[in-house]
Amino acid sequence: MRAKLPRESGFVERDGVKLFYEIYGEGPETMLFVPPWSIVHSRVYKAQLPYFSDRCRCITYDARGNGKSDRPEGVEAYSLDNLVADALAVMDATAVDQAIIVGLSYGGYVTSVLAAYHPKRVKAAILVGTMASVGPEYSYLGQAHFYTKRERFEGWDKYNRDYWLLNYPDFAEHFIRQIYPEPHSTRQIEDGIAWASDTTGEVLARTVEARFTPPGFDISEAMYRRINCPMLVVHGDDDQQMPHARGRAVAELTGAEFVTIAGGGHNPLGRSPAKCNALILDFLDRRLGIPAPKRQATQHTGQAKRVLYLSSPIGLGHGRRDIAVARELRALHPGIEIDWLAQHPVTLLLDGHGERIHPLSARLASESRHIELEAGEHELHAFQAIRSMDEVLIANFMIFQEAVEQTTYDIVIGDEAWEIDQYWHDHPELKRAALAWLTDFVGFVPMPSGGDREAFLTTDTNAEMIERVERHPAVRDRAIFVGNRDDILPQSFGKNLPAMRDWIPRHFDFSGYILEQDPKHFGRREELRQALGYRADERVCIITVGGSAVGAHLIRRILQSFAVVRAKLPDLRMIAVCGPRIDPGSLELPAGVEARAFLPDLNRHLAACDLALVQGGLATCMELTAAGTPFLYFPLKDHFEQNFHVTHRLDRYEAGIRMDYATATPDMIARAMIAALDRPTHFKPVEASGAMRAAKMLSELL
């Protein structure tokens, strides 16, 4: 899923070659993102477009040879003259007289030419990992080496035309891996390889052969001295494609601002997007007057403390427990001000409790929508879904950063707000408030279906998390595990990594489980049932599948079992609680079954019913456990958290009956329902003080 879709797209044709472009956002200024070498296409800028298109009109286009643009046959078609003319043609077609131009790698070279020879079209230039015709001698894809096989450097024999024509996929993977020398770059490498598959070795050979044709303009040092627009040059000091010294040489000749990304490779826009976006934002503010968020200085002496609360939108259980924590915080600090940076469907829950939602929430990209697009029939590969959510997460992080730049908060509370934890650890200089991190699981676990590849990826991801925390332990001012030590899985984070039960207690405090409300506070069960409209002479079964639309298949499967159960239990009343993202009208309800939409007091209904059928989400299962309500739970296929972390915890509480959706026929579900209704429950008690314990830990930061 894209964090933001273009508002317009089209083709511009020049000399018989069609170039595909997209336009994002609106604004008084335009940013043109010039494509790099044709081995990738314009999606290489996916971490920049969603955020900057909130301020500017942003235009991208695919270079000839990749993406949706044409792949002309002749070598001359890929000359530098043509690439520069392509950029101007896209500007003309999109009615852009002057633009802020961003160029990565070879796109930086094209941008330099534009700034030097078409100065009226370039308001400012931003070069990242730029190729250049100045600086230290460098033979990458040079004339002598392109046609000869060299063994002098590892992999050098792959940099030649013959190899590209015979084994392009291997070269593409080799090249993309060199772009990202930073550890734990598996996601960026996967993207790059996928984008590289949109072109061929034949096309790339033409693009390099075209570089042997002298351009129709001077590209010596004199060209760079012609540039007089504001310029920012960003370069990684571990760039293995374009030497760091080349970027510095460009900056010295042009008078540009020069920023080094320590440890950065050839594409810091993709590998260090939060840092690069912040640098660009600051540059645009200082040099062009495009305003960046400014902190509003506030004095807290004698005033209420301010909290920014982020609650994960993947499942409403996070929101319910966070509301409980906020309630306890207010008891400890009367007058405390809490803003919620939240997404649908959590905003529905917050509205129902009278909470204040930060206005920037409206700009957040939907994580729930992403999860729904990743899901199959009662299947969600949660680990891969989180990995592929990187575009959404960086877009939302930038909006969060804007919030903490604009307003002084005493503390940021992030309930599994992955992007905040990641990017503040990666770039501690961006941190603007104390950070409290809450989670009910730590550690990704490979699903057997993923084989060795998934075992490698989960281990790599866990290792990156461990390294972040240990490298910058002060980023998390308080880390709270929502549970107890026994709730930690008794296994390691992966090969050569520590055991979870050894590492987690050294870096987390334990609050115990956090309930929105102790079921004991609901009063006598008979009175609760009466208040909710349930009769004493009926047995009530509730189906609920969380806050996303992933559970629609499970609801339909369970509904097929109703007739069988009703035949044996005529007093059964079944209610399908669809949640905020499933339309009750989309379900074919058997006679006698009711469908309800979002219930803000779902926990009360779960405490009052006789049986519940649910997915494997922790919050709902723990609410049922605390209430002593019998339940069947169906973990999503390939969902590591539900199949490992949640199941382990429920086993510890001796709660719930686990069902396998893949093998559970309607008849099997019916038999399990009847058995569960007839079987007394003996769940272990769930602690009721978790919210208060968490609030006291957070209070220490205030």
Side-chain angles (χ1 to χ4, degrees), residues 601-612:
D601 59 345
L602 177 63
N603 56 340
R604 295 166 62 85
H605 290 266
L606 295 177
C609 72
D610 298 282
L611 176 67

Side-chain angles (χ1 to χ4, degrees), residues 316 320 323 348-350 352-353 516-517 522 528-529 531-534 542 544 577 596-609 623:
L316 290 173
R320 296 184 187 280
I323 288 170
L348 287 178
L349 193 65
L350 296 172
H353 285 78
E516 179 183 2
Q517 192 172 2
F522 297 152
L528 176 62
R529 286 173 63 92
L532 296 174
Y534 300 144
I542 289 181
T544 181
V577 180
R596 300 188 187 180
F598 173 67
L599 290 179
D601 59 345
L602 177 63
N603 56 340
R604 295 166 62 85
H605 290 266
L606 295 177
C609 72
E623 286 173 347

Side-chain angles (χ1 to χ4, degrees), residues 131-406:
M131 180 178 175
S133 53
V134 295
E137 182 181 357
Y138 194 57
S139 57
Y140 171 67
L141 293 186
Q143 297 178 13
H145 299 293
F146 183 54
Y147 289 104
T148 60
K149 296 184 178 182
R150 298 281 184 125
E151 303 293 343
R152 185 172 44 171
F153 303 109
E154 181 182 358
W156 195 254
D157 58 323
K158 299 181 180 182
Y159 290 94
N160 66 86
R161 187 178 190 276
D162 291 340
Y163 195 86
W164 295 1
L165 297 181
L166 292 173
N167 201 351
Y168 170 69
D170 183 69
F171 166 75
E173 180 174 347
H174 172 77
F175 179 83
I176 296 299
R177 289 186 182 280
Q178 284 197 324
I179 288 177
Y180 299 105
E182 301 95 331
H184 314 298
S185 298
T186 56
R187 174 60 185 164
Q188 291 77 21
I189 290 170
E190 287 176 5
D191 270 347
I193 292 172
W195 299 333
S197 69
D198 275 358
T199 190
T200 65
E202 290 86 348
V203 169
L204 285 192
R206 293 182 200 122
T207 67
V208 176
E209 289 169 345
R211 297 178 190 178
F212 303 162
T213 303
F217 36 76
D218 179 17
I219 56 173
S220 67
E221 290 186 2
M223 178 187 75
Y224 290 95
R225 292 194 178 97
R226 293 171 61 111
I227 299 173
N228 56 22
C229 67
M231 180 179 281
L232 171 67
V233 178
V234 180
H235 219 104
D237 62 9
D238 194 24
D239 189 332
Q240 299 180 16
Q241 307 302 321
M242 292 296 148
H244 177 259
R246 281 204 160 193
R248 185 179 294 280
V250 170
E252 290 173 350
L253 289 169
T254 60
E257 299 180 23
F258 185 68
V259 179
T260 296
I261 302 296
H266 189 50
N267 182 16
L269 290 175
R271 191 60 183 87
S272 301
K275 179 67 174 178
C276 289
N277 290 355
L279 289 171
I280 295 171
L281 191 64
D282 176 67
F283 172 77
L284 296 179
D285 180 20
R286 289 184 294 101
R287 301 301 300 273
L288 300 182
I290 299 175
K294 295 294 193 300
R295 179 174 289 250
Q296 300 171 357
T298 57
Q299 299 295 325
H300 285 310
T301 304
Q303 296 184 9
K305 300 293 185 181
R306 303 195 70 170
V307 174
L308 183 63
Y309 212 132
L310 292 86
S311 183
S312 172
I314 304 176
L316 290 173
H318 299 277
R320 296 184 187 280
R321 75 185 182 205
D322 293 331
I323 288 170
V325 172
R327 183 174 61 241
E328 299 294 346
L329 264 180
R330 291 187 174 106
L332 294 171
H333 295 271
I336 191 174
E337 297 181 6
I338 301 178
D339 293 336
W340 297 80
L341 191 63
Q343 305 170 34
H344 184 275
V346 176
T347 48
L348 287 178
L349 193 65
L350 296 172
D351 279 334
H353 285 78
E355 296 288 347
R356 184 171 64 195
I357 299 172
H358 196 293
L360 287 177
S361 299
R363 285 169 46 194
L364 294 171
S366 175
E367 295 178 33
S368 293
R369 176 63 175 156
H370 171 84
I371 292 298
E372 290 163 3
L373 290 173
E374 290 284 323
E377 181 177 341
H378 200 73
E379 178 181 7
L380 175 63
H381 204 302
F383 170 67
Q384 294 293 353
I386 292 172
R387 289 184 77 241
S388 64
M389 197 160 56
D390 56 329
E391 179 179 350
V392 172
L393 293 181
I394 182 58
N396 289 345
F397 171 80
M398 295 306 300
I399 293 169
F400 157 80
Q401 190 69 23
E402 184 173 329
V404 295
E405 296 286 356
Q406 288 179 340

Side-chain angles (χ1 to χ4, degrees), residues 58 60 109 358 381 395 418 600 609:
C58 293
T60 65
Y109 192 27
H358 196 293
H381 204 302
W418 304 103
C609 72

